[in-house]
């Protein structure tokens, strides 16, 4: 059984390994191994994870069973949109997917931002599992990106109202 808790600096190596494994399992077929490797190095480096851990108005969670981390989530208040929290990351190791780990992390993240009125997330259009998950948790499509942001990746933008 996994327990959701706030991440600490001692978790970051395990979080990085979890992200690398999960990203390759999820995105290699969409972007290719080399692109995923490049994105992992940029977005999931220890300095990048440390910066997220230190960010104000953010929450960095892990699902921990005492032996290993099964998932992680990271959300932060938007710098540009009032009363909006952005779900930047919600990843579960492939072997633990569809067992409630993502649901439990998400449920905790929803409660961490009492001043937020909505939560937004961007999802790769081909990632049907993620789109199904978010729609089942109350998100609706509000737009899309063409991949002209710094990531260079297209995304569907989903939003969910939060009850205060």
């Amino acid at each position: 059984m996994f327990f959701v808790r706030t991440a600490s600096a001692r978790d970051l190596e395990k979080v990085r390994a979890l992200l690398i494994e999960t990203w390759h399992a999820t995105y290699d077929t969409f972007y290719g191994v080399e692109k995923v490797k490049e994105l992992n190095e940029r977005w999931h480096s220890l300095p990048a994870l440390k910066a997220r851990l230190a960010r104000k108005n953010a929450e960095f969670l892990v699902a921990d069973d005492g032996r290993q981390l099964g998932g992680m989530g990271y959300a932060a208040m938007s710098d540009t949109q009032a009363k909006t929290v952005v779900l930047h990351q919600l990843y579960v190791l492939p072997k633990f997917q569809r067992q409630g780990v993502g649901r439990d992390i998400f449920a905790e993240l929803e409660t961490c931002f009492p001043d937020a009125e909505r939560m937004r997330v961007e999802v790769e259009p081909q990632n049907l599992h993620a789109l199904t998950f978010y729609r089942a948790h109350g998100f609706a499509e509000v737009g899309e990106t063409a991949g002209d942001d710094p990531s260079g990746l297209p995304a569907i933008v989903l939003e969910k109202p939060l009850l205060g």
Side-chain angles (χ1 to χ4, degrees):
M1 175 182 287
F2 286 95
F3 296 93
V4 177
R5 63 171 174 79
T6 299
S8 70
R10 70 179 176 276
D11 295 315
L12 295 183
E13 289 278 358
K14 288 180 182 179
V15 168
R16 177 172 158 69
L18 179 151
L19 287 167
I20 289 169
E21 179 179 339
T22 304
W23 264 66
H24 279 294
T26 304
Y27 298 111
D28 280 1
T29 57
F30 305 148
Y31 305 131
V33 175
E34 287 307 310
K35 180 69 172 178
V36 172
K37 192 174 177 182
E38 171 199 326
L39 293 171
N40 271 324
E41 287 304 312
R42 190 169 3 140
W43 293 344
H44 307 140
S45 67
L46 287 176
L49 294 174
K50 285 179 185 174
R52 286 185 202 117
L53 193 62
R55 183 171 171 182
K56 300 278 189 240
N57 297 315
E59 192 66 41
F60 194 144
L61 302 176
V62 293
D64 186 347
D65 72 357
R67 295 182 314 277
Q68 61 187 332
L69 299 183
M72 63 80 62
Y74 174 74
M77 289 300 293
S78 173
D79 293 329
T80 59
Q81 295 175 298
K83 303 216 179 260
T84 301
V85 62
V86 178
L87 178 57
H88 293 279
Q89 296 173 299
L90 179 58
Y91 292 102
V92 176
L93 280 173
K95 66 184 174 183
F96 298 120
Q97 290 176 0
R98 293 175 213 21
Q99 296 179 32
V101 177
R103 177 200 63 222
D104 292 348
I105 295 169
F106 177 73
E108 184 66 25
L109 284 170
E110 279 187 300
T111 68
C112 292
F113 301 91
D115 295 333
E117 294 178 357
R118 72 195 66 76
M119 182 178 277
R120 290 175 71 98
V121 64
E122 293 184 7
V123 179
E124 155 60 50
Q126 299 176 82
N127 190 346
L128 301 181
H129 292 299
L131 289 169
T132 300
F133 174 89
Y134 290 119
R135 288 179 178 134
H137 286 85
F139 283 83
E141 187 172 336
V142 295
E144 56 186 48
T145 66
D148 49 6
D149 64 348
S151 74
L153 305 176
I156 294 174
V157 181
L158 303 167
E159 193 170 279
K160 174 188 178 154
L162 295 176
L163 305 173

